[in-house]
Amino acid sequence: MIKDPFQRLNLDREVLSVSQLNSRARLLLEDVFSNIWVEGEISNLAKPASGHVYFTLKDSQAQVRCALFRQNALRIRQALRDGLAVKVRGKVSLFEGRGDYQLILDMVEPAGDGALRLAFEALKEKLSAEGLFANERKIALPTHPKRIGIVSSPTGAVIRDIISVFRRRAPQVELNLVPTAVQGREATAQIVRALELADKQGFDALILARGGGSLEDLWCFNEEPVARAIAACATPIVSAVGHETDVSIADFVADVRAPTPSAAAELLAPDNSELVQRLYTLQRRLHMRMQHRLERERMRVDSLQRRLRHPGERLRQHAQRVDDLEMRLIRAIQTQSGRQRECLNSLQTRLLSLHPQRDLKLLGQRLDALTERMHRSMFEGLRARQLRLTSQMQTLHAVSPLATLGRGYSILLDDKGRAIRDAADTQPGQRLKARLGKGELDVRVEDNHVQPANLSLLD
């Protein structure tokens, strides 16, 4: 750290780094300009998320960067914006990182008409929130006013300019001056009273006028009582305060704002030459419309005449139409009869095709055919069975014992009719029957050759 920032550099060419140079310059500036007030206009206002405020303070010939850190910015009550004239307090310093010359501020307050601008914006915001500037409250200006009240100073060029405009454009309009002060401490109350008085006079419109001046000179037209007095008037009001670039609260509340008092007079003063020209234009338009209307009515009459016909012709047309309808009716009846006849024939054909006599005939034919088939089948079945029976009889006869007997063989039967197949089944002296091919014989067993025979001598 350099103890004395004002000490001169060594004569034998001491070389400093950039950091050393900026550090010495910062200490020098902060020591000399430690607590100073500077007045200027804010521009390039920036408010980053850090809460610090940065802007440029300028006048017509120069500018300087300013930094208002967060802890000091929180103490500033008024809203900072570009174009606001302010007085700032702080120290001159140097931002060593970039070598920028700047003011480190700890106080910001309005300067000159800056306070008035803040008051103007605050009142404007308040009255706007209440709806005093709303278009729905505005009253339309009369097209052809007869009596106009002028709320202004009786002296000065304003009233003369307004009278001159009306004398040139509409001399028939009655002008009435409601005098009031338009500058100074008493002006506000006088303007309010003048507006209340003028509103009761039954004027077609009012002009609230004043010439140009500074913001302080025009301040009475930015006072809340004047704004509310304008809003309370039932008579439409044209505000013409200051020059074209001057804007006042009265301009926002009034029904119409005029850039100058002369312009306000022109708004309410109908130009006679323009009225004559407009009357001529309207007369010409009326004449043309009348001609067009007469032409349309003439064409309409001609059309109605063409449409109007003699009753005899109408009767002939109706008679012709009746004949046409009659022929159409006859054709329709014939067509309908033909369709019904075709439908009847179709139904008869369908009925004949569905008559039971035909089915009975077909069923009778089928019955006869089935009866014939049955007889033929029965005959053929009997014949087949007869042939089969004959064949079976022949087969049975071929294997029948009777056939065997017919060839000379015989069958021995015991007294129970059982055939004797083994000699051991007999007994000597047993009576048997021998069945031959023709007839039977009674025989007796003499010996069956199974055991010795003992024949009776008496037999």
Side-chain angles (χ1 to χ4, degrees):
M1 178 67 66
I2 300 176
K3 296 180 180 181
D4 184 6
F6 296 100
Q7 67 181 1
R8 293 182 179 273
L9 298 178
N10 295 333
L11 295 178
D12 54 353
R13 192 180 176 184
E14 179 183 0
V15 179
L16 300 177
S17 65
V18 176
S19 301
Q20 290 174 337
L21 174 62
N22 287 348
S23 177
R24 291 191 182 187
R26 179 180 63 81
L27 293 175
L28 179 62
L29 290 173
E30 290 180 354
D31 185 71
V32 175
F33 303 100
S34 61
N35 189 12
I36 60 172
W37 285 89
V38 182
E39 183 175 348
E41 180 180 316
I42 294 177
S43 65
N44 302 322
L45 181 67
K47 296 180 180 180
S50 61
H52 307 319
V53 179
Y54 302 97
F55 58 86
T56 300
L57 193 66
K58 66 178 183 178
D59 57 18
S60 60
Q61 297 179 347
Q63 63 182 16
V64 62
R65 294 180 179 273
C66 297
L68 181 65
F69 295 119
R70 184 173 180 274
Q71 62 273 19
N72 294 322
L74 294 175
R75 298 199 302 267
I76 306 302
R77 298 300 180 185
Q78 67 272 17
L80 301 181
R81 57 179 175 78
D82 288 341
L84 181 66
V86 294
K87 290 189 297 185
V88 299
R89 185 185 68 183
K91 63 181 178 179
V92 179
S93 183
L94 187 75
F95 182 47
E96 298 182 16
R98 292 196 303 265
D100 288 342
Y101 163 78
Q102 63 181 359
L103 286 174
I104 305 299
L105 307 180
D106 56 17
M107 179 67 69
V108 178
E109 62 183 35
D113 63 357
L116 296 180
R117 289 291 179 187
L118 292 176
F120 176 90
E121 295 296 335
L123 181 59
K124 178 183 174 183
E125 183 177 355
K126 174 182 177 182
L127 297 182
S128 177
E130 294 181 13
L132 266 66
F133 304 161
N135 291 329
E136 294 78 8
R137 299 184 66 260
K138 307 296 183 182
I139 305 174
L141 299 181
T143 306
H144 301 287
K146 297 179 180 180
R147 298 178 65 245
I148 293 178
I150 303 173
V151 180
S152 184
S153 172
T155 61
V158 171
I159 187 64
R160 292 194 299 271
D161 292 342
I162 294 175
I163 293 174
S164 175
V165 172
F166 274 95
R167 185 176 297 166
R168 172 172 50 85
R169 293 172 59 91
Q172 74 278 5
V173 177
E174 178 185 341
L175 300 179
N176 294 269
L177 176 64
V178 183
T180 179
V182 292
Q183 182 176 343
R185 296 183 178 179
E186 302 296 329
T188 301
Q190 289 188 25
I191 292 173
V192 172
R193 287 194 299 270
L195 288 173
E196 293 174 351
L197 177 62
D199 191 41
K200 298 177 183 179
Q201 301 301 314
F203 295 118
D204 296 326
L206 295 176
I207 297 177
L208 180 61
R210 188 207 187 280
S214 64
L215 183 60
E216 290 84 354
D217 295 337
L218 303 177
W219 189 251
C220 56
F221 294 95
N222 295 320
E223 294 286 357
E224 184 174 355
V226 173
R228 296 195 181 277
I230 296 173
C233 286
T235 308
I237 297 179
V238 178
S239 174
V241 178
H243 297 300
E244 185 173 355
T245 57
D246 296 324
V247 180
S248 64
I249 296 295
D251 293 336
F252 294 109
V253 184
D255 299 295
V256 176
R257 175 188 179 270
T260 62
S262 298
E266 291 180 357
L267 287 174
L268 290 172
D271 191 350
N272 287 342
S273 60
E274 292 180 0
L275 290 177
V276 171
Q277 181 64 29
R278 185 181 179 192
L279 180 61
Y280 173 75
T281 302
L282 291 175
Q283 182 181 7
R284 186 173 58 183
R285 290 172 58 187
L286 177 61
H287 180 70
M288 293 178 61
R289 288 191 177 184
M290 289 177 63
Q291 286 184 340
H292 292 166
R293 179 66 180 272
L294 289 174
E295 185 66 24
R296 285 199 305 269
E297 294 299 328
R298 187 180 299 108
M299 294 174 61
R300 182 169 175 269
V301 170
D302 293 340
S303 176
L304 292 175
Q305 287 179 349
R306 288 193 298 269
R307 292 172 58 187
L308 183 63
R309 298 179 181 180
H310 193 276
E313 185 178 355
R314 298 287 296 274
L315 290 175
R316 287 193 298 272
Q317 289 181 353
H318 284 298
Q320 184 178 359
R321 180 170 176 76
V322 169
D323 294 340
D324 182 62
L325 292 175
E326 181 180 2
M327 290 187 292
R328 289 174 60 187
L329 179 61
I330 292 173
R331 287 197 300 269
I333 292 175
Q334 292 176 351
T335 302
Q336 186 68 19
S337 299
R339 290 177 181 174
Q340 291 180 352
R341 190 180 300 108
E342 292 177 358
C343 182
L344 179 61
N345 294 333
S346 175
L347 292 175
Q348 286 178 347
T349 303
R350 290 177 60 191
L351 180 61
L352 291 176
S353 64
L354 299 175
H355 197 279
Q357 183 177 0
R358 180 185 177 187
D359 292 341
L360 291 175
K361 184 177 179 180
L362 293 175
L363 291 174
Q365 294 176 356
R366 184 180 181 189
L367 179 62
D368 294 341
L370 291 174
T371 302
E372 183 180 356
R373 286 176 60 189
M374 183 183 68
H375 288 303
R376 186 168 58 252
S377 177
M378 290 176 61
F379 177 77
E380 291 177 356
L382 290 174
R383 185 177 178 181
R385 285 178 174 78
Q386 186 176 7
L387 292 175
R388 189 171 60 182
L389 179 61
T390 301
S391 175
Q392 291 177 351
M393 288 177 60
Q394 291 175 355
T395 304
L396 182 61
H397 181 72
V399 297
S400 174
L402 296 178
T404 304
L405 294 177
R407 291 195 299 272
Y409 293 93
S410 64
I411 299 174
L412 293 179
L413 302 174
D414 60 9
D415 55 357
K416 296 182 179 180
R418 291 179 296 184
I420 302 302
R421 293 179 176 82
D422 190 356
D425 294 334
T426 62
Q427 297 292 334
Q430 183 180 355
R431 295 285 183 178
L432 299 174
K433 281 186 178 184
R435 188 173 179 177
L436 305 175
K438 293 182 179 179
E440 295 181 349
L441 295 177
D442 290 329
V443 297
R444 185 180 67 178
V445 178
E446 293 295 333
D447 188 5
N448 57 7
H449 300 286
V450 175
Q451 55 185 355
N454 292 319
L455 297 177
S456 174
L457 294 178
L458 296 178
D459 294 337

